[in-house]
Amino acid sequence: MKTQTLSPAMFLQGLQDQGIAVTLAGDRLKIEAPRKGMITPELCEQLARRKAELIAHLSAPSISDLPPTPNGDICQCQRPATCYSDQGDPFCEDCRNQASRTQCAASSALVRVTSAPFFLQDVAGITEWTQNYQSLVVDLETTGIHEHLDRVVAITLGKPGKVAILDMRPYYGLPAEEQATWREVLHYLFHRDGITWIGHNLKFD
Ligand SMILES: [Zn+2]
């Protein structure tokens, strides 16, 4: 099997095609196969060698669940579009990831920053990313110290050393209808069973 050059996503997909599931259990890799003999010494060796990058891949919020690739649609930068925003606007990959990439480059602990046109998809990715965690730290960044006048600027959530930021600044300029959708996905994210939220400023909602 020639797997050295495969990206983590393709490597895992190849295993999945054989029925072997590799998932994250806390900070370890969990391997499940339909039959015992399928996890060969060669596969073990590959998994061990690629452990760090596989864990990094599995820990990052997924952006692979985007809507179907637009056909012939053009991004605002005139390049071919590869995805649609929450509102159905065509985006190329560069423009789609621009905001998140710039901000994540600022800190290695930052795995994802939401961008306004993709807020719903980004929150869905973060929801999926946090699925296996039993406890998460959450922190709110607000505009000031007067709690009734404050606006939430950003919500940080994750584990020490690995966090996602929900950029809430665009929320206040949105039409009421879109605000309601944002609140809905946030409500879903923060009200799942089985997760203990650790925070000192949990007054939203
Ligand atoms: Zn573009």
Side-chain angles (χ1 to χ4, degrees):
M1 225 186 340
K2 187 168 156 265
T3 44
Q4 283 89 334
T5 50
L6 292 179
S7 69
M10 288 178 72
F11 177 64
L12 293 173
Q13 183 62 51
L15 293 176
Q16 205 186 336
D17 291 345
Q18 302 170 53
I20 302 173
V22 180
T23 52
L24 206 58
D27 295 328
R28 295 158 154 266
L29 289 175
K30 185 173 153 202
I31 298 120
E32 286 168 299
R35 286 186 312 278
K36 222 177 181 180
M38 293 182 77
I39 306 175
T40 60
E42 189 200 14
L43 176 58
C44 286
E45 188 269 323
Q46 282 173 352
L47 288 168
R49 186 161 38 81
R50 305 192 63 167
K51 192 177 166 195
E53 63 170 322
L54 291 174
I55 288 177
H57 173 78
L58 291 168
S59 327
S62 159
I63 54 163
S64 57
D65 307 326
L66 298 174
T69 307
N71 254 342
D73 267 342
I74 300 291
C75 177
Q76 53 184 354
C77 74
Q78 301 305 318
R79 279 179 291 190
T82 55
C83 64
Y84 292 113
S85 71
D86 293 338
Q87 300 295 314
D89 299 319
F91 274 72
C92 74
E93 206 175 320
D94 258 9
C95 293
R96 192 263 181 267
N97 289 321
Q98 204 170 32
S100 197
R101 201 179 291 148
T102 315
Q103 294 172 74
C104 289
S107 161
S108 59
L110 209 46
V111 296
R112 179 60 88 66
V113 180
T114 59
S115 63
F118 293 90
F119 188 80
L120 306 181
Q121 294 170 49
D122 285 342
V123 171
I126 290 166
T127 303
E128 203 190 312
W129 166 60
T130 54
Q131 206 135 266
N132 296 320
Y133 291 139
Q134 266 126 42
S135 69
L136 285 167
V137 174
V138 62
D139 197 17
L140 301 186
E141 208 72 59
T142 57
T143 49
I145 53 168
H146 304 289
E147 91 180 58
H148 297 294
L149 302 173
D150 278 353
R151 289 173 163 196
V152 175
V153 179
I155 304 171
T156 308
L157 65 102
K159 304 216 128 196
K162 195 150 272 185
V163 298
I165 291 181
L166 309 176
D167 182 359
M168 294 305 293
R169 289 170 300 179
Y171 170 84
Y172 303 95
L174 293 175
E177 208 176 285
E178 277 179 58
Q179 286 186 338
T181 321
W182 279 42
R183 283 199 306 272
E184 219 171 279
V185 294
L186 289 176
H187 185 90
Y188 178 75
L189 171 62
F190 287 105
H191 289 81
R192 283 169 299 156
D193 294 334
I195 294 184
T196 308
W197 294 96
I198 304 162
H200 49 85
N201 199 5
L202 291 174
K203 276 187 294 243
F204 53 84
D205 207 45

